[in-house]
Amino acid sequence: MNVLFLGLPGSGKGTQAQSIAGRLGLAHLSTGQVFRDSVVEKTPLGKIVEARMNAGILIDDELTNKIAESFLEKNGSAKGFVFDGYPRNVAQASFLEKLLEKKKQKLDFVVLIDVDEQVVFERLVSRAKKDGRTDDSEEKIRFRLATQNPKELVDYYLEKKMLSTIDGSGTVDEITRRILAVLG
Ligand code: AMP
């Protein structure tokens, strides 16, 4: 089973992706986490992506697609994947489709976690203070919310009749239950 989570930054998709991957035994790809780790570990990838990440700007598709491709290769025996923050646009979505096709697989579920933009703004500001996330300051958060809205992919998967929208308000457990109901 392959599941993609869509949502604004701060919608809780990372938390839910991790929880669902753990419960269902799926491999969890968070490209944002891969990039953040690479910056902390000062790897060659980290040096390439650090400035863009700190500015809250997307990393280019070619590099991001390579990260996804090598993650799928490394986890070749996984019984499925949870995609979180990847794909981020239609170009990446098409690339992922081809990657999965090669494995005779497809995305089985695309779940949009629907949240109010003001609610996530407040959530991101308090998370940034707590975690000291270097890519989060109030101005950058506004910028990320404006530029990283999943609308392009929402329209793309709506058109393909693949999108399930769930209410992203309430407790973490309530949201998890809604997602599990969608996944059957
Ligand atoms: P996230 O944790 O998903 O919010 O990602 C944090 C940052 O990593 C983003 O602001 C981008 O700079 C970068 N990033 C993560 N995923 C992608 C992606 N699929 N395409 C391009 N950039 C990404």
Side-chain angles (χ1 to χ4, degrees), residues 112-115 165-170 174-175 178:
L112 170 67
I113 303 183
D114 190 27
V115 283
T165 302
I166 61 126
D167 175 6
S169 65
E174 279 164 355
I175 302 166
R178 285 177 205 137

Side-chain angles (χ1 to χ4, degrees), residues 31-32 35-36 57-59 64 85-86 88 92 144 148:
T31 41
F35 291 139
R36 268 189 296 282
I57 301 170
L58 289 181
I59 309 305
T64 308
Y86 177 89
R88 237 4 185 260
Q92 292 180 11
R144 283 172 66 213
Q148 299 193 28

Side-chain angles (χ1 to χ4, degrees), residues 50-150:
E50 184 167 18
R52 292 181 78 81
M53 286 217 40
N54 284 340
I57 301 170
L58 289 181
I59 309 305
D60 66 86
D61 290 341
E62 200 185 342
L63 183 54
T64 308
N65 285 335
K66 272 196 195 131
I67 302 290
E69 185 168 19
S70 74
F71 185 86
L72 262 65
E73 272 167 18
K74 262 190 232 142
N75 292 276
S77 58
K79 57 180 186 167
F81 293 90
V82 171
F83 297 98
D84 162 17
Y86 177 89
R88 237 4 185 260
N89 55 34
V90 170
Q92 292 180 11
S94 310
F95 186 85
L96 176 62
E97 242 162 68
K98 291 195 192 95
L99 276 185
L100 289 173
E101 253 168 39
K102 275 193 228 154
K103 293 161 68 79
K104 306 222 176 312
Q105 290 182 28
K106 61 179 173 59
L107 272 183
D108 300 291
F109 297 96
V110 180
V111 180
L112 170 67
I113 303 183
D114 190 27
V115 283
D116 180 83
E117 195 162 331
Q118 187 56 30
V119 171
V120 291
F121 174 76
E122 283 156 22
R123 203 182 280 172
L124 283 173
V125 170
S126 73
R127 187 205 282 177
K129 285 190 189 127
K130 215 169 64 192
D131 298 354
R133 266 178 65 154
T134 56
D135 60 345
D136 277 349
S137 77
E138 278 200 25
E139 203 183 322
K140 279 175 198 158
I141 289 166
R142 282 201 198 285
F143 179 76
R144 283 172 66 213
L145 284 174
T147 55
Q148 299 193 28
N149 189 301

